[in-house]
Amino acid sequence: MCGIVGYVGKEQVAPILLDGLARLEYRGYDSAGIACMENGTIRVNKAKGRLQVLSDMIDGGNAVASTLGIGHTRWATHGKPSDENSHPHMSQNGKFAIVHNGIIENYSEIKASLMADGVTFASETDSEVICNLLEKFYEGDLLKAVKKTVDTLEGSYALGIICHEYEDRFIAVRHASPLIVGLSEKGNFVASDIPAILSYTRKIYHLGEGEIVELTGDKVRVFNSDLEPVIKQAEEITWDVKSAEKDGYDYFMEKEIMEQPRALHDTISPRIDDNGEIVLDGVHLTREDIEGYRRIYITACGSAYHVGMVGKYIIEKMTRIPVEVDLASEFRYRDPIVDDKTLMIIISQSGETADTLAALREGKQRGARILSIVNVVGSSIANESDDVLYTWAGPEIAVATTKAYSTQLSMMYLIALYMADKLGLMEKEEIRTLLASLMQVPELVEQVIETTRPQIMELAKQYHQVEHAYYLGRNVDYAVAMEASLKLKEVSYVHSEAYAAGELKHGTISLIEEGTLVVALAGCHRVIEKTVSNIQEVKARGAKVIVVTTEDNTGVEKVSDHVIYLPKVKELFLPSVEVVPMQMLGFYLAKERGCDVDKPRNLAKSVTVE
Ligand code: AGP
């Protein structure tokens, strides 16, 4: 997820682009750049690092004399943060400059065919194929070249395009990636999001899927994907700039919870090809490799560790290879039994967590193969791993992880199915069926947000004064209960603990008294009776019980005070649906308590110290 902005009009463009990019930095901040039409040529300035690096390079924009330009702030997906990989990208002969937000899924085929035509590439990005396709297809008609180019692309793209033969206009395209048009007396804009242009205009067009727009200083023409003109209705925006960055939500955590369907789609769909085969981009594990592993270690911290707990259940079930899940801060000092017959799976949103990085190095030094699941391209953990799988959740701003956790979960499913497939432990048809269900998970998450949110907001009102809460579960329910409990305590400061339900009677049940809040996760059908009897044990001691279960399991109503029903889902993918109401409970309860939910006390988004 990157941020793009463009402008053509009467004003000097560079300061406008810098200001717009500054308001889009929450979308990506590892490198930035602008391309402006200056004296009949395209001038590009770009640099790795925060926007300030670029701004210093062009003296806050004063060093550029131009009234037409496009800009980009990057969240790396293909190619780590560097000057070469930052946008804008120029075509081989300098005819075109482009900025791109999204992922071109068929870029490697296109790149290979362009290289066969003699085109050389300056970066590792998927985006650079776009400007070279434009140059290949351009025969004097800019719109035609754009149409031919986008007809060749697969994936998601919001584009800003400058052509050196047009000093008064630029083109933008929207496909499966957000883009708006801003209209004003002083000129016209495009942007990935409203905050970028709100201080210049409140009059906007939302672009539809596949629409192409041509902008000059005093005219905007919109076309559909067949280049037929489209009449657009302008809208008036009433938000203030600050709330706009949160898309109208009060907190980034709430916004990121709601972004999960998109983040899951972006992370899962490129890993399942048209033949229903799993394609794990950065992973090169052969059947022999996998058969050679005597043990799999999953090592991480905090919520990432909780993903590992779910991973253990799923990978052991699918591959029959023993899986150990370890807290990185413990792993690095306990002389673990790790050797070249060990596969280590490292999980980290930031890719910079000190304990996790040290555990990686410890394992590597002992001969383990390192496969990492990371959300930040080019981060230390990614750089030091043998294989990297990126979760494409986009930048996660709120300290409490939500969408990154969910995309990491989906990686656990994909790795387990990938290995089972390689080992021939499952019929191809069975794998295809499960992958088809996995492709449904983003929609199911959308559904569970819609159906449970009102109830969760009510429960948060009802229980926001509790001082203690206990989460129970068996099997994967227990692993999800661990994450649910962390979500509550880290943002609301309510003392909260999660327990394997069967453990309760071995001590903790002594804490249960009249009115104690207990949240029981009962989605795992094969242990449902056992979980229900544990619920009865706490109910008998006066607990207030919220049960989370699937819609086909109404029997729990008689043993609980509230039931949160989840849509029916294949049990393998239950954690992805079950965790979302729990994230919302943590968020809304903290909001009811007036906590600063995005920046909870004593916590940091990335713990880079031991
Ligand atoms: C989770 O909400 C917390 N932010 C924290 O537990 C986090 O999961 C942990 O610090 C690990 O961070 P990482 O995924 O960036 O390595």
Side-chain angles (χ1 to χ4, degrees):
M1 185 159 97
C2 307
I4 67 176
V5 61
Y7 169 80
V8 53
K10 304 187 183 74
E11 308 290 324
Q12 281 302 305
V13 66
I16 292 175
L17 296 178
L18 288 174
D19 176 51
L21 293 176
R23 295 182 192 290
L24 292 174
E25 258 201 318
Y26 69 89
R27 301 177 62 84
Y29 41 73
D30 59 43
S31 49
I34 64 171
C36 301
M37 188 57 84
E38 194 178 53
N39 310 327
T41 60
I42 302 176
R43 166 183 174 162
V44 170
N45 292 95
K46 60 182 185 175
K48 178 186 174 196
R50 299 299 294 253
L51 189 61
Q52 196 55 45
V53 178
L54 173 68
S55 179
D56 296 346
M57 182 193 274
I58 55 175
D59 180 23
N62 301 324
V64 181
S66 169
T67 57
L68 181 157
I70 53 178
H72 186 273
T73 180
R74 186 171 189 237
W75 179 259
T77 57
H78 294 72
K80 59 175 163 290
S82 68
D83 294 350
E84 299 73 34
N85 290 338
S86 48
H87 297 217
H89 290 288
M90 284 278 263
S91 58
Q92 175 153 277
N93 303 322
K95 285 195 180 141
F96 286 91
I98 63 105
V99 290
H100 168 224
N101 171 31
I103 294 169
I104 305 301
E105 288 168 14
N106 60 341
Y107 87 98
S108 35
E109 299 99 271
I110 299 171
K111 191 168 183 175
S113 83
L114 286 167
M115 288 173 83
D117 299 348
V119 175
T120 54
F121 284 78
S123 79
E124 303 158 287
T125 66
D126 53 334
S127 313
E128 196 182 355
V129 297
I130 303 166
C131 49
N132 285 302
L133 277 177
L134 285 162
E135 191 160 287
K136 175 179 176 184
F137 294 136
Y138 182 65
E139 293 157 347
D141 183 323
L142 181 52
L143 283 168
K144 278 217 182 91
V146 171
K147 175 170 171 30
K148 274 182 107 176
T149 297
V150 294
D151 287 350
T152 315
L153 303 176
E154 284 166 25
S156 58
Y157 45 86
L159 299 174
I161 300 166
I162 290 183
C163 173
H164 78 140
E165 286 187 10
Y166 294 80
E167 293 191 42
D168 65 342
R169 69 195 63 199
F170 72 95
I171 304 285
V173 183
R174 187 224 144 142
H175 178 75
S177 191
L179 197 69
I180 57 162
V181 172
L183 312 162
S184 86
E185 302 302 308
K186 296 207 177 95
N188 296 308
F189 304 78
V190 294
S192 298
D193 204 347
I194 292 167
I197 58 172
L198 205 50
S199 33
Y200 305 98
T201 178
R202 291 183 168 281
K203 210 167 149 207
I204 70 155
Y205 288 156
H206 279 294
L207 282 182
E209 217 35 54
E211 287 185 348
I212 298 171
V213 55
E214 179 199 63
L215 303 97
T216 66
D218 51 20
K219 198 158 164 222
V220 169
R221 296 197 299 159
V222 183
F223 304 88
N224 64 19
S225 51
D226 298 323
L227 291 185
E228 294 151 348
V230 176
I231 307 304
K232 302 292 282 186
Q233 197 54 47
E235 273 173 62
E236 191 73 17
I237 297 293
T238 55
W239 297 347
D240 64 51
V241 174
K242 201 91 201 82
S243 74
E245 275 159 5
K246 295 183 185 117
D247 224 359
Y249 292 101
D250 297 336
Y251 291 97
F252 278 110
M253 183 178 177
E254 188 178 19
K255 179 183 175 237
E256 288 159 5
I257 289 172
M258 305 308 161
E259 278 180 346
Q260 296 188 98
R262 191 264 322 145
L264 284 164
H265 173 268
D266 288 358
T267 300
I268 295 168
S269 69
R271 274 75 189 234
I272 302 173
D273 71 13
D274 303 344
N275 314 324
E277 297 284 329
I278 303 171
V279 190
L280 293 186
D281 24 305
V283 176
H284 315 292
L285 288 172
T286 62
R287 178 175 183 140
E288 292 61 45
D289 290 336
I290 300 169
E291 281 170 346
Y293 296 128
R294 268 205 298 270
R295 187 196 315 267
I296 296 175
Y297 264 98
I298 303 180
T299 306
C301 299
S303 293
Y305 168 79
H306 296 152
V307 170
M309 287 178 70
V310 174
K312 173 182 171 66
Y313 288 103
I314 292 173
I315 296 174
E316 283 190 343
K317 185 166 178 298
M318 299 240 153
T319 68
R320 307 320 290 156
I321 301 173
V323 177
E324 292 230 16
V325 189
D326 243 314
L327 289 165
S329 52
E330 285 300 310
F331 177 91
R332 58 184 295 191
Y333 294 118
R334 75 172 180 80
D335 190 13
I337 304 168
V338 169
D339 55 23
D340 60 2
K341 301 250 173 311
T342 307
L343 173 66
M344 254 182 100
I345 299 179
I346 300 279
I347 309 175
S348 175
Q349 187 286 127
S350 60
E352 302 296 349
T353 302
D355 284 322
T356 309
L357 187 54
L360 179 160
R361 292 173 178 153
E362 188 67 31
K364 200 165 189 162
Q365 198 209 325
R366 291 164 185 255
R369 171 98 179 237
I370 308 294
L371 161 59
S372 289
I373 298 169
V374 176
N375 194 46
V376 179
V377 173
S379 55
S380 312
I381 287 176
N383 294 345
E384 296 188 27
S385 302
D386 301 306
D387 304 286
V388 185
L389 267 177
Y390 287 117
T391 51
W392 285 324
E396 194 173 61
I397 309 293
V399 168
T401 184
T402 52
K403 61 178 181 174
Y405 170 94
S406 289
T407 54
Q408 290 159 358
L409 269 185
S410 65
M411 283 303 178
M412 291 290 109
Y413 309 142
L414 284 164
I415 290 171
L417 289 167
Y418 175 86
M419 290 185 172
D421 185 27
K422 289 276 180 195
L423 294 169
L425 293 176
M426 291 171 78
E427 294 302 321
K428 283 277 180 209
E429 206 33 53
E430 197 186 350
I431 295 216
R432 275 207 198 89
T433 313
L434 284 171
L435 291 176
S437 305
L438 180 56
M439 290 288 270
Q440 302 298 316
V441 167
E443 231 172 280
L444 284 173
V445 167
E446 186 123 41
Q447 196 184 327
V448 81
I449 289 173
E450 251 156 60
T451 53
T452 64
R453 190 171 174 209
Q455 182 189 15
I456 300 278
M457 292 167 92
E458 269 319 303
L459 289 172
K461 282 201 181 74
Q462 195 172 341
Y463 291 106
H464 74 278
Q465 277 150 334
V466 295
E467 287 314 315
H468 308 282
Y470 299 93
Y471 288 77
L472 307 180
R474 284 174 177 263
N475 203 282
V476 281
D477 285 332
Y478 166 47
V480 178
M482 291 285 283
E483 178 58 10
S485 168
L486 178 60
K487 284 285 99 55
L488 180 72
K489 67 183 147 194
E490 73 176 314
V491 290
S492 71
Y493 318 142
V494 169
H495 162 243
S496 160
E497 296 186 42
Y499 285 91
E503 260 307 285
L504 215 61
K505 49 189 173 296
H506 302 290
T508 308
I509 198 159
S510 64
L511 296 173
I512 307 296
E513 56 192 1
E514 198 57 38
T516 303
L517 177 62
V518 172
V519 181
L521 280 66
C524 213
H525 279 237
R526 84 183 81 96
V527 288
I528 191 78
E529 270 106 43
K530 309 293 177 205
T531 307
V532 168
S533 59
N534 298 128
I535 295 171
Q536 285 165 324
E537 287 158 11
V538 293
K539 196 78 195 112
R541 284 143 182 96
K544 283 282 179 209
V545 180
I546 299 173
V547 175
V548 183
T549 190
T550 49
E551 60 199 18
D552 56 343
N553 182 33
T554 53
V556 295
E557 282 178 14
K558 30 191 200 302
V559 295
S560 56
D561 298 277
H562 315 275
V563 183
I564 299 169
Y565 283 111
L566 308 171
K568 226 173 146 3
V569 57
K570 274 232 184 306
E571 191 148 305
L572 177 61
F573 309 130
L574 169 72
S576 294
V577 175
E578 198 173 44
V579 74
V580 177
M582 296 296 94
Q583 295 165 340
M584 292 200 282
L585 184 62
F587 171 77
Y588 288 113
L589 202 142
K591 196 176 171 197
E592 287 294 332
R593 291 166 74 94
C595 301
D596 180 355
V597 181
D598 282 346
K599 295 190 177 62
R601 68 188 183 203
N602 310 338
L603 293 179
K605 182 62 186 169
S606 179
V607 184
T608 52
V609 291
E610 206 183 322

